[in-house]
Amino acid sequence: DAGITQSPRHKVTETGTPVTLRCHQTENHRYMYWYRQDPGHGLRLIHYSYGVKDTDKGEVSDGYSVSRSKTEDFLLTLESATSSQTSVYFCAITRTGDGYTFGSGTRLTVV
Amino acid sequence: KQEVTQIPAALSVPEGENLVLNCSFTDSAIYNLQWFRQDPGKGLTSLLLIQSSQREQTSGRLNASLDKSSGRSTLYIAASQPGDSATYLCAVREGYSGAGSYQLTFGKGTKLSVIP
């Protein structure tokens, strides 16, 4: 997870509240991604960004929004958290020639 | 839609054995394939990246092969150690151009236990 910091590392929130997860990178990579990992489903792409203010949806984007106002920060917002969004969320970047590098993850529990 | 399958889902071997983990994918038009390791409660650590034009990559005791035409990759671990115990994930990146082509499709992983 060199150069990628996710915050918070753990969060418990109540159903219906908005939640924002942050991914910060220090290496000026253009592409950033948010994945969620769930037992039985593996890792699935939520949203990705290919530049400042350039984002697009992934496989499981419903209920999530993202923003990227600076190269180094990619924010994931759960607009109104539901129990089905309890998961581990991973941020990732792609390095040319090196494939993907993932952050350490945020464990989110919605109660 | 690309689908990635890893068999077996779990594997237990005695220390010192050589072993092979399997990964298959349905669409052979891939850009590259990446193997990751994940320890319980932790993030993903990249092990090996194989570009579509390559047949294999090696790092220490690890060797990954790629056969695009048959939609298969294997991860070979030599002289396994208890510290190799983890879940191993295979992921492929699509081969078409465009922003969405950077997406990875993951298998569900093989959980490896190496018994001392």
Side-chain angles (χ1 to χ4, degrees):
Chain A
D1 62 351
I4 304 175
T5 304
Q6 290 187 234
S7 59
R9 292 297 309 276
H10 302 272
K11 185 170 182 67
V12 179
T13 192
E14 293 185 350
T15 298
T17 61
V19 177
T20 295
L21 309 183
R22 180 180 184 241
C23 179
H24 179 78
Q25 58 139 331
T26 60
E27 301 179 354
N28 205 36
H29 295 288
R30 180 182 174 193
Y31 285 85
M32 299 183 75
Y33 310 80
W34 279 106
Y35 282 80
R36 61 178 288 176
Q37 185 176 35
D38 305 288
H41 290 281
L43 281 106
R44 294 176 292 174
L45 181 66
I46 305 171
H47 281 280
Y48 63 95
S49 170
Y50 46 99
V52 172
K53 298 184 180 178
D54 291 324
T55 65
D56 206 347
K57 296 179 180 180
E59 178 185 357
V60 290
S61 60
D62 287 348
Y64 301 94
S65 63
V66 290
S67 65
R68 192 166 178 203
S69 59
K70 300 183 292 184
T71 299
E72 58 266 35
D73 289 325
F74 191 32
L75 304 180
L76 176 71
T77 297
L78 288 65
E79 294 141 8
S80 177
T82 67
S83 59
S84 65
Q85 294 175 313
T86 292
S87 187
V88 181
Y89 292 86
F90 288 101
C91 175
I93 58 94
T94 42
R95 292 184 167 120
T96 302
D98 285 341
Y100 266 61
T101 299
F102 282 82
S104 298
T106 293
R107 186 172 296 274
L108 177 68
T109 302
V110 183
V111 298
Chain B
K1 178 186 174 185
Q2 178 76 268
E3 293 183 1
V4 179
T5 303
Q6 292 187 246
I7 295 174
L11 180 65
S12 183
V13 301
E15 181 178 2
E17 270 204 7
N18 302 325
L19 59 100
V20 174
L21 306 180
N22 296 294
C23 171
S24 62
F25 45 95
T26 55
D27 186 346
S28 62
I30 65 170
Y31 186 80
N32 60 37
L33 183 145
Q34 198 166 357
W35 283 93
F36 296 90
R37 167 187 172 137
Q38 186 174 31
D39 294 291
K42 303 294 185 181
L44 281 71
T45 299
S46 179
L47 298 174
L48 290 165
L49 173 70
I50 309 178
Q51 303 294 345
S52 62
S53 58
Q54 298 174 321
R55 297 283 295 184
E56 65 179 308
Q57 283 286 336
T58 298
S59 175
R61 294 183 295 109
L62 305 179
N63 176 277
S65 68
L66 174 63
D67 184 343
K68 267 183 45 176
S69 62
S70 66
R72 291 188 297 183
S73 176
T74 61
L75 179 66
Y76 174 82
I77 302 177
S80 59
Q81 303 171 356
D84 295 330
S85 298
T87 296
Y88 291 80
L89 297 164
C90 166
V92 300
R93 179 183 152 188
E94 304 293 338
Y96 61 89
S97 61
S101 65
Y102 278 76
Q103 175 175 331
L104 285 185
T105 302
F106 282 84
K108 294 180 180 178
T110 294
K111 185 175 182 180
L112 173 66
S113 298
V114 181
I115 312 302

